[in-house]
Amino acid sequence: MSKLLCDSLWRASAPTAPVLTSLEGRLEVDVVIVGGGFTGLSAALHMAKLGISVAVVEAQEVGFGGSGRNVGLANAGLWLEPDQLDKTIGAEAGKILYDALAVAPDYVYGLIDEYGIECEATRHGTLHAGVGKAGLVQLERRYEQLVRRGAPVQLLNAAEAQSRIGSGKFNSALFDPRAGTIQPLAYARGLADAALKEGAKLFEFSPVNKIEPTPDGWVIHTDGGEVHAEKVILATNAYSEHGVKEQARKFVPIFYSQLASKPLSDAQLASILPNKEGVWDTCTVMSSFRLDKQGRLVFGGMGGEGSVLSNWASQRVKEMYPILNKVEWDYCWTGKIAYSEDHLPHCQQLQNGLFSVAGYSGRGIGPGTVVGAELAQWFAGQRESLSIPTTLLRDIPFRELKRMFYEVGAHTYHLGQQSHALD
């Protein structure tokens, strides 16, 4: 087990990545994108389709960051409740953003079908599972707001939720049939393949060390080469490092870890998530769980990896699913989430022709795919603006203290839950 703890199930089970090289020499394109995650790859794919010459420069490998490490829930909308969204950016802007992301799963699964992306795509909906009285009240509130906006969601009572989840630990669940699950790293690699087919240029292991303005645009420098372009998109989100470190001051990085079990037996799979929905709960320190194609239970929670997290996960899963008795974990991995102050993604125009997209706050698959497509349409003159806010983000005060607060809070919660279970 110790040998496998630092390994990701997604890396172990994803189709082979496209063969890419590092950036060498000088290249000229219309747009250069820094970051090979969902947003950058979607933008590159759609720009190439529209005849915009585009290059993606990735510091590690395609999907290395949060895009290849997340839970894989292709949800509609954002974390914010719809009414809170309207309150934050105004009713008119809120409706535009809500409407754009309500159909985000259609966009994701449409690309999967169009390009034949092999990513374990399963569209059986997702369940937001209620825990305690506060959780039920939250789901009732979300349900009312979503139905008022025409969403085809269902609020399940305790018996219905427990039957769908296969556990008696939840008193309700909000079912969204628009959503589903994917293998996230496989989806990122599939987007990269699609972008290459459309004519985009992609480079890996090419960290950017400097970005400079030129008389007719910008130039980004790596150790091996440089790209000259009219426009630059920084699409690094929570992995803003190397030459884009200053963007990291705009959000709080939150660690989220996951563990994957050995494949479950047929008898266990008959009762645990029999319809194969993805699930996350209403707890303040959220956890998530789902199944992969091999029948492994993938369980996640806020906080960094380690024995406290794995012990808590084992106890939590045992409480939810007594049929599992003792859980054996094969994989454990950690990713980072970029929490913006308002929990909304933003596209900032830092200078003329220099853009930065960040702040998905844990909801990146659908929004990242949609925002990438919108950027392409915007640059091609096919739309006047983006659905997400384009206001400049301020540096978050006491960012490191806030990160530590989240991390210590999650760690304390896991220890407390583990101790409670031993009493």
Side-chain angles (χ1 to χ4, degrees):
M1 180 177 175
S2 59
K3 180 181 178 182
L4 296 173
L5 272 178
C6 63
D7 291 344
S8 162
L9 169 64
W10 306 141
R11 284 185 59 83
S13 61
T16 304
V19 178
L20 303 175
T21 63
S22 299
L23 177 65
E24 298 289 342
R26 175 189 170 100
L27 177 67
E28 292 189 13
V29 292
D30 296 326
V31 180
V32 60
I33 299 168
V34 181
F38 297 139
T39 302
L41 294 170
S42 175
L45 165 61
H46 290 91
M47 286 180 190
K49 288 182 70 173
L50 292 173
I52 299 172
S53 63
V54 58
V56 175
V57 179
E58 164 59 44
Q60 299 290 336
E61 60 182 359
V62 164
F64 172 84
S67 294
R69 299 170 186 266
N70 67 61
V71 180
L73 305 185
N75 276 309
L78 294 161
W79 281 116
L80 279 186
E81 296 179 14
D83 284 0
Q84 185 61 43
L85 172 62
D86 290 352
K87 184 180 297 185
T88 301
I89 61 176
E92 183 178 353
K95 183 179 187 307
I96 291 172
L97 181 52
Y98 175 86
D99 289 346
L101 299 185
V103 296
D106 290 340
Y107 215 96
V108 169
Y109 288 98
L111 287 176
I112 290 170
D113 289 342
E114 181 179 355
Y115 290 97
I117 299 175
E118 297 181 8
C119 61
E120 302 183 20
T122 303
R123 198 172 186 185
H124 294 167
T126 54
L127 295 164
H128 193 178
V131 177
K133 183 178 179 180
L136 174 59
V137 170
Q138 179 191 153
L139 294 187
E140 290 175 336
R141 187 173 62 241
R142 285 181 177 272
Y143 172 75
E144 186 276 326
Q145 294 176 25
L146 289 167
V147 168
R148 187 165 13 106
R149 290 165 174 80
V153 294
Q154 302 171 35
L155 184 60
L156 309 182
N157 61 30
E160 293 168 328
Q162 291 166 13
S163 175
R164 295 280 278 272
I165 298 171
S167 170
K169 293 296 182 179
F170 302 97
N171 61 20
S172 55
L174 188 61
F175 173 64
D176 191 338
R178 299 170 295 180
T181 61
I182 61 172
Q183 209 276 32
L185 180 57
Y187 176 58
R189 290 179 175 179
L191 287 178
D193 278 325
L196 289 169
K197 290 176 183 176
E198 295 294 348
K201 300 180 186 299
L202 276 59
F203 302 94
E204 290 184 325
F205 301 107
S206 302
V208 171
N209 51 45
K210 187 164 56 174
I211 302 174
E212 293 182 313
T214 66
D216 55 355
W218 294 86
V219 58
I220 64 135
H221 298 270
T222 70
D223 287 342
E226 58 187 44
V227 183
H228 293 251
E230 180 184 348
K231 296 183 176 68
V232 177
I233 300 173
L234 307 180
T236 51
N237 201 38
Y239 291 77
S240 294
E241 297 156 357
H242 307 292
V244 294
K245 287 182 179 179
E246 66 278 4
Q247 291 310 305
R249 299 195 295 264
K250 312 295 184 183
F251 59 81
V252 179
I254 306 297
F255 288 96
Y256 195 88
S257 297
Q258 295 178 82
L259 301 98
S261 73
K262 293 184 178 298
L264 306 184
S265 68
D266 290 343
Q268 292 166 340
L269 290 171
S271 62
I272 296 174
L273 296 174
N275 297 326
K276 307 298 186 292
E277 300 99 338
V279 187
W280 75 104
D281 63 31
T282 60
C283 294
T284 302
V285 181
M286 187 199 78
S287 57
S288 62
F289 48 102
R290 54 163 294 191
L291 298 169
D292 80 334
K293 187 177 181 180
Q294 290 76 37
R296 298 177 185 272
L297 179 66
V298 183
F299 184 88
M302 293 177 67
E305 62 188 20
S307 60
V308 170
L309 183 75
S310 60
N311 290 341
W312 165 75
S314 296
Q315 184 60 44
R316 175 72 169 143
V317 169
K318 182 179 178 180
E319 291 173 352
M320 289 194 305
Y321 297 117
I323 190 175
L324 294 182
N325 191 17
K326 183 179 180 181
V327 185
E328 295 184 75
W329 303 113
D330 272 353
Y331 301 91
C332 181
W333 66 101
T334 300
K336 287 190 293 186
I337 297 170
Y339 264 84
S340 59
E341 279 195 299
D342 58 10
H343 303 304
L344 293 176
H346 289 252
C347 178
Q348 307 167 79
Q349 182 162 339
L350 305 174
Q351 297 181 46
N352 185 34
L354 178 62
F355 303 84
S356 175
V357 183
Y360 289 110
S361 302
R363 189 66 72 89
I365 296 174
T369 302
V370 168
V371 169
E374 288 190 355
L375 282 165
Q377 295 160 3
W378 190 32
F379 286 4
Q382 295 184 357
R383 61 183 302 132
E384 294 183 358
S385 61
L386 302 177
S387 298
I388 63 173
T390 53
T391 48
L392 286 173
L393 293 172
R394 64 169 185 158
D395 289 358
I396 292 183
F398 309 110
R399 171 180 174 270
E400 185 61 18
L401 288 176
K402 291 178 180 179
R403 182 198 67 77
M404 292 175 62
F405 173 79
Y406 282 116
E407 188 69 19
V408 171
H411 185 78
T412 303
Y413 172 79
H414 296 150
L415 276 174
Q417 292 292 304
Q418 185 180 333
S419 299
H420 175 73
L422 297 175
D423 291 341

